[in-house]
Amino acid sequence: AQSVAQPEDQVNVAEGNPLTVKCTYSVSGNPYLFWYVQYPNRGLQFLLKYITGDNLVKGSYGFEAEFNKSQTSFHLKKPSALVSDSALYFCAVRDMTRAGTASKLTFGTGTRLQVTL
Amino acid sequence: DTGVSQDPRHKITKRGQNVTFRCDPISEHNRLYWYRQTLGQGPEFLTYFQNEAQLEKSRLLSDRFSAERPKGSFSTLEIQRTEQGDSAMYLCASSSGDRGYEQYFGPGTRLTVT
C-alpha cells in the first residue's frame, strides 16, 4: 500500500524567510509525487510534481520541491515566504509501477502554513 | 473559466434522504476522479472513470454510493439513505492522462447530514 506522512500539522514562518514543508512517502515501486495547496472554501490547486529526472522540481508561485529517493522524501520549499502563501498544503503520491489500481492519489493529512509579517 | 466545476457547492440534508452531486470536468480530460475530504484529513479516493468506464472503486464506496459518467463527460455521485458520517467535502478531479499526469480539482460540494 502507498502512504504519505506530513509530520508537521503547522509550520510558522516570518515573511521573507525561507520555508520548508516536509513530506515522506512509502510505495512498493517508484513514485510519482505531487504537491497541492488548498485555500479556505476552495478546491486543491496543483503546485508541482516529480515524475523522473532532476531531483529539484520547480512549480507555481515560486515553490520548489526536492526528491530524495534514499530518504523517501519530497519536501516543499520556497526561498522567501509571503503572507499570501498561508494555506493548507498537501503532499500526494502515486505508485508508477503498480498496474490496475495505480490511478489514485494518496494524500497526506496536510500541513497548515502560517506566514506572518 | 474552463476548470472543473461542481454543483451544488453546499448541500444540507436530513438523515435518510438521497443526494446527488454533479461534476463537470475540464472538457478535454477523459479521466475523472471522486474524492472525499473530512476535517483535518487529506482527500481520500472514492472512484475513477476513464471516459464512461468506472475502472476503480475504493472500499470506502459502500453500497449506498453510486457514481456514473454516462457519456464520458460529466459525472454524478449519488448517496442513498444518507448518514451523519457521510458529512464531508466531496471533491471531483480530472486529468488528461494517467499516472504521471496531475489531477485538477473542482471547488467541492460540502455535504452536511443533520
Side-chain angles (χ1 to χ4, degrees):
Chain A
Q2 56 196 42
S3 65
V4 172
Q6 293 183 243
E8 303 153 316
D9 289 336
Q10 181 156 326
V11 170
N12 298 306
V13 63
E15 187 174 58
N17 284 358
L19 69 88
T20 298
V21 182
K22 296 180 180 177
C23 170
T24 58
Y25 66 89
S26 174
V27 295
S28 55
N30 291 318
Y32 289 132
L33 293 156
F34 303 82
W35 275 101
Y36 285 83
V37 60
Q38 188 173 36
Y39 295 98
N41 299 316
R42 296 179 65 177
L44 281 75
Q45 295 180 30
F46 169 73
L47 277 180
L48 51 79
K49 67 181 179 182
Y50 172 81
I51 302 301
T52 187
D54 194 349
N55 289 344
L56 184 65
V57 294
K58 296 187 182 296
S60 306
Y61 313 119
F63 284 93
E64 58 190 27
E66 186 168 12
F67 171 65
N68 187 317
K69 187 172 184 178
S70 63
Q71 297 186 2
T72 62
S73 67
F74 189 55
H75 300 331
L76 181 70
K77 300 181 180 183
K78 187 174 183 181
S80 179
L82 298 172
V83 171
S84 58
D85 293 330
S86 299
L88 191 56
Y89 290 80
F90 290 96
C91 181
V93 68
R94 169 185 283 173
D95 187 336
M96 66 183 281
T97 52
R98 274 188 70 193
T101 57
S103 300
K104 68 176 185 179
L105 287 175
T106 297
F107 286 84
T109 52
T111 298
R112 185 165 301 281
L113 175 65
Q114 187 69 46
V115 182
T116 54
L117 291 171
Chain B
D1 188 286
T2 56
V4 178
S5 61
Q6 293 186 245
D7 183 69
R9 294 291 304 276
H10 304 273
K11 179 70 176 180
I12 300 174
T13 191
K14 293 184 177 181
R15 187 175 53 189
Q17 298 295 305
N18 299 343
V19 294
T20 300
F21 310 141
R22 176 180 171 125
C23 171
D24 287 88
I26 294 172
S27 58
E28 62 268 27
H29 287 181
N30 62 351
R31 289 163 169 85
L32 186 147
Y33 310 80
W34 285 98
Y35 291 83
R36 181 171 68 188
Q37 185 179 19
T38 54
L39 198 62
Q41 299 297 319
E44 295 176 293
F45 172 79
L46 292 177
T47 190
Y48 158 61
F49 290 85
Q50 182 174 328
N51 299 312
E52 66 274 11
Q54 188 174 20
L55 297 184
E56 190 175 348
K57 292 171 63 174
S58 165
R59 285 172 291 179
L60 292 175
L61 216 64
S62 75
D63 292 344
R64 296 184 297 106
F65 288 69
S66 62
E68 294 182 343
R69 194 181 183 198
K71 295 184 179 180
S73 55
F74 73 92
S75 175
T76 58
L77 178 68
E78 181 183 18
I79 309 174
Q80 295 182 329
R81 305 181 303 282
T82 53
E83 301 173 355
Q84 287 188 322
D86 297 331
S87 296
M89 177 75 85
Y90 289 84
L91 296 168
C92 177
S94 69
S95 70
S96 59
D98 201 3
R99 304 203 178 199
Y101 289 82
E102 59 271 23
Q103 296 174 18
Y104 291 90
F105 284 79
T109 294
R110 182 169 295 284
L111 173 65
T112 302
V113 182
T114 62

